[in-house]
Amino acid sequence: MAEYGAKVMFWTLRQKFVDDSVNVEEKSRQVMYYSLAIGHHVGVIDCLNVVLECPLDGYQAWVDLLEGEAQRKMRGLLTFGEIVIDASHVNTLAPAFARLAAEAESPWRDWSEQMLQHLQDIAQEPAIYLMVRLLR
């Protein structure tokens, strides 16, 4: 049984910016930009935007509709309290959410359509990712 008031929040990375308070010599700028590309945080701040919010019990019911590796990945939130969905997960998750977008009832259909759009965005721009967190 889900906790009353607990919810699941999905954030997506839409941009990064360099924190100007970090003094970087000109010689080091290439290293900094390389760090941006590979995701290390050397004075780099991720700008995350909320893209989906659902109650915990709704999330659990939604995940129960998934199968196989997609279900295992999304259940990780219930175990760890947080998961990241990045380009390495697109091929596993996209077919599962496409099926739910076509077959599931609302609200799972709507949520699946949103997830599918975010997965397509990630496929086109691998620097984008989703952060999913359980808030109690």
Side-chain angles (χ1 to χ4, degrees):
M1 178 155 221
E3 299 172 39
Y4 179 75
K7 61 184 174 181
V8 175
M9 300 287 291
F10 290 73
W11 288 275
T12 187
L13 173 72
R14 284 294 175 195
Q15 63 182 351
K16 293 183 179 192
F17 66 92
V18 177
D19 182 353
D20 289 334
S21 69
V22 176
N23 190 11
V24 179
E25 293 182 21
E26 192 59 40
K27 291 180 186 178
S28 301
R29 288 211 178 270
Q30 289 303 317
V31 173
M32 182 184 65
Y33 291 125
Y34 178 74
S35 296
L36 274 169
I38 61 172
H40 293 160
H41 299 277
V42 182
V44 176
I45 298 171
D46 288 354
C47 298
L48 299 171
N49 299 322
V50 175
V51 293
L52 178 62
E53 178 180 335
C54 57
L56 178 57
D57 59 347
Y59 179 85
Q60 289 172 318
W62 185 30
V63 169
D64 286 344
L65 297 172
L66 296 170
E67 299 172 348
E69 284 299 305
Q71 186 180 69
R72 185 195 64 74
K73 172 62 179 171
M74 299 306 287
R75 276 202 178 138
L77 175 73
L78 304 174
T79 303
F80 303 110
E82 180 177 293
I83 58 172
V84 173
I85 299 170
D86 60 27
S88 69
H89 303 109
V90 170
N91 290 336
T92 299
L93 296 177
F97 284 112
R99 181 181 60 81
L100 293 183
E103 299 174 1
E105 296 178 14
S106 196
W108 303 288
R109 175 185 301 243
D110 301 331
W111 296 347
S112 297
E113 288 171 353
Q114 289 180 49
M115 276 296 295
L116 198 53
Q117 181 59 57
H118 295 301
L119 291 168
Q120 290 169 350
D121 292 346
I122 292 168
Q124 291 175 8
E125 177 51 65
I128 297 173
Y129 64 87
L130 292 173
M131 172 68 66
V132 187
R133 184 172 285 167
L134 175 58
L135 302 175
R136 298 180 190 272

